[in-house]
Amino acid sequence: MGEGVLTPAFTREGGVLQCEGVPLPIIAASVGTPTYVYSAASLRQQFERIDAALEGVPHRIHFAMKANGSLGVLRTLRAAGAHVDCVSSGELFRARQAGFTPDEIIVGGVGKRADEIEAALDARVACITAESEAELELIAALARARGVVAPVAIRVNPEVTVHAFHEYVKTGQVGDKFGIPLHRAFEAACYAAGLDGLRLVALQHHIGSLLTELGPYGAAADRLVTLLLRLRAEAPEAARHITTLDLGGGFGVTYGDEPPVDLAGLTTVAHRVHAATGCIIAIEPGRFLVAEAGVLLTRVLYRKDSGGRAIVIADAGMNDLVRPALYNAHHRIEPVMATVGAGQADIVGPVCESGDFLARDRALPDVPPGALLAVHTAGAYGFVMSSNYNARPRAAEVLVDGTRWGVIRTRERHEDLVRGERADPDWSIVA
Ligand code: LLP
């Protein structure tokens, strides 16, 4: 399978950075900054690339909406053919608002409350992924109370060694909090299949995020295959309804100089797993579908010099994009207007923390105050991880499609910051 030429979402026309056919200064002038801008064409292109990688095997692609849950983004991916993976009842609510039908929705999460399981059951989602025996019991009890049979998957911790950019995004190693450890998975599957109120329809793993080399991913998939084949041989009743192997997400994108993810490797794994089991292959990509579609547009407020370092103070901070502060993550940053002169600077935000930076010691032309900057690869784990820290209203979001653009989330206002608060509570008195 060869890939055609990829169309970049962000290009320069006459020195001005634009998203598809829309110059970014037009958006900044109208909506202000900081603002997330997403390319619909990039969302579709990434979906088509990963869909093509699974060509020839029956498959479902569940967008892990934790990476970007904005309704406009969800709607675009659904129209491209995506299903969705939710990890909370809030995400389930959003997915429904965006138009996903129950059969397109799977629900996971390491610590689901009873009300979240009930919401998933009431919505009749396609599958609920359980991460412990206790959770299987709870799902079964809640399903029985409703007179329904819950389709469930078991998340297996395949206990492989994961290579990912940060410890915080590894999820499939010995001792991790996720899933049922490999050595207990067989018993757990038998237990699940024997519980009234459950139908075990899938086995799942997710080993971590921002994978480029898919060796451990393939090894984890093979462990699921071994488990399923053992169930079929030794506990056929437990394996009877298992139609799907869900191989999770984690497909990397290029933020700086990382190699692109090995999509051909995904093709190989998917074919191998399907050939061995006949199962439908499900995947849960988040970052891969949305990261490159987005930039965070921010304006330079001030420049200063501190201890010989050039400091560029932008109007977007760690509350808008936390990845640099939290993971020391790299995001490419460039001026929106072509700018001459090479420089080196720390690009920081306005938040009162020294950890509030977008980039450190970064080559950047000498941008003056007022200049617009584009922080790239911000479409995944950008807005969704933003907060109101320092009582900063959260950013606006804009979707671009060709030469059209529109606001998909208005900038928060100050009134939004105090919604739901009471300076004087309605006191309850303990007798
Ligand atoms: N499935 C499960 C069960 C997951 O836990 C995740 C991500 C995904 C799928 C999607 O992974 P992706 O394809 O996006 O790598 N906040 C971090 C990333 C956390 C990933 C959490 N789980 C970051 O900003 O890099």
Side-chain angles (χ1 to χ4, degrees):
M1 186 207 68
E3 278 202 86
V5 177
L6 301 179
T7 314
F10 297 92
T11 54
R12 275 188 199 279
E13 285 290 325
V16 181
L17 194 63
Q18 53 182 52
C19 178
E20 300 190 32
V22 179
L24 292 175
I26 291 182
I27 295 172
S30 171
V31 181
T33 52
T35 292
Y36 279 92
V37 181
Y38 308 113
S39 154
S42 170
L43 297 172
R44 294 185 195 111
Q45 177 171 274
Q46 289 299 90
F47 182 83
E48 282 159 18
R49 287 179 67 201
I50 209 152
D51 194 36
L54 297 179
E55 202 185 309
V57 290
H59 64 272
R60 280 193 302 267
I61 299 169
H62 289 271
F63 170 49
M65 64 175 283
K66 63 170 75 70
N68 189 324
S70 296
L71 299 183
V73 169
L74 292 176
R75 182 72 60 99
T76 306
L77 285 171
R78 179 170 188 271
H83 291 198
V84 71
D85 166 44
C86 305
V87 289
S88 67
S89 53
E91 286 196 352
L92 175 57
F93 173 77
R94 281 189 163 280
R96 299 288 281 139
Q97 290 283 308
F100 284 98
T101 55
D103 57 305
E104 296 167 344
I105 300 174
I106 58 174
V107 173
V110 69
K112 304 174 204 70
R113 288 189 314 267
D115 62 286
E116 295 186 291
I117 295 169
E118 287 170 335
L121 291 171
D122 291 342
R124 297 271 197 277
V125 300
C127 188
I128 303 175
T129 306
E131 301 219 5
S132 66
E133 289 88 340
E135 196 192 353
L136 285 163
E137 278 166 32
L138 180 58
I139 298 170
L142 295 171
R144 284 196 304 271
R146 287 170 160 63
V148 299
V149 174
V152 294
I154 286 183
R155 178 169 179 174
V156 177
N157 178 352
E159 301 186 330
V160 294
T161 301
V162 182
H163 308 286
F165 76 105
H166 197 282
E167 285 303 314
Y168 291 178
V169 299
K170 297 179 180 177
T171 56
Q173 306 200 121
V174 174
D176 286 343
K177 72 172 177 177
F178 299 97
I180 296 182
L182 190 61
H183 69 273
R184 283 220 318 277
F186 179 85
E187 283 70 25
C190 295
Y191 181 60
L195 282 173
D196 272 350
L198 297 188
R199 173 168 298 150
L200 180 60
V201 296
L203 301 174
Q204 189 253 16
H205 80 65
H206 170 77
I207 61 168
S209 204
L210 202 50
L211 313 171
T212 50
E213 192 270 306
L214 292 186
Y217 181 86
D222 292 341
R223 291 184 173 183
L224 281 194
V225 170
T226 304
L227 173 62
L228 177 58
L229 296 183
R230 182 175 165 212
L231 284 167
R232 283 179 179 168
E234 297 176 27
E237 272 308 295
R240 193 153 68 101
H241 298 292
I242 300 179
T243 56
T244 302
L245 291 181
D246 180 338
L247 308 182
F251 314 104
V253 300
T254 301
Y255 286 90
D257 50 17
E258 310 93 325
V261 64
D262 176 20
L263 282 186
L266 173 60
T267 306
T268 306
V269 171
H271 279 268
R272 186 167 78 224
V273 170
H274 177 64
T277 62
C279 280
I280 298 166
I281 305 301
I283 55 169
E284 303 169 354
R287 188 188 320 267
F288 182 84
L289 295 179
V290 291
E292 290 168 354
V295 295
L296 173 59
L297 202 53
T298 177
R299 205 177 275 285
V300 175
L301 298 173
Y302 305 103
R303 295 187 65 103
K304 63 168 77 164
D305 187 272
S306 177
R309 295 170 83 83
I311 314 262
V312 171
I313 301 170
D315 69 358
M318 66 189 288
N319 74 295
D320 299 299
L321 179 68
V322 77
R323 301 190 72 257
L326 190 56
Y327 313 116
N328 211 10
H330 176 96
H331 285 265
R332 191 164 61 82
I333 300 180
E334 63 175 334
V336 168
M337 310 301 288
T339 311
V340 288
Q344 191 88 1
D346 288 358
I347 303 149
V348 305
V351 171
C352 306
E353 298 237 8
S354 294
D356 176 30
F357 60 90
L358 297 171
R360 278 186 161 154
D361 224 358
R362 184 67 68 80
L364 183 79
D366 286 328
V367 281
L372 288 170
L373 299 176
V375 183
H376 281 279
T377 336
Y381 306 109
F383 185 90
V384 277
M385 293 180 79
S386 67
S387 77
N388 291 124
Y389 187 39
N390 278 199
R392 289 169 46 81
R394 287 182 305 165
E397 294 183 290
V398 162
L399 185 66
V400 173
D401 194 359
T403 53
R404 306 187 295 171
W405 68 274
V407 173
I408 54 170
R409 183 195 303 265
T410 54
R411 186 177 309 289
E412 281 182 339
R413 298 158 306 143
H414 286 153
E415 297 74 57
D416 296 321
L417 296 175
V418 292
R419 198 186 314 128
E421 286 190 48
R422 306 275 303 256
D424 290 310
D426 253 347
W427 300 106
S428 297
I429 296 165
V430 179

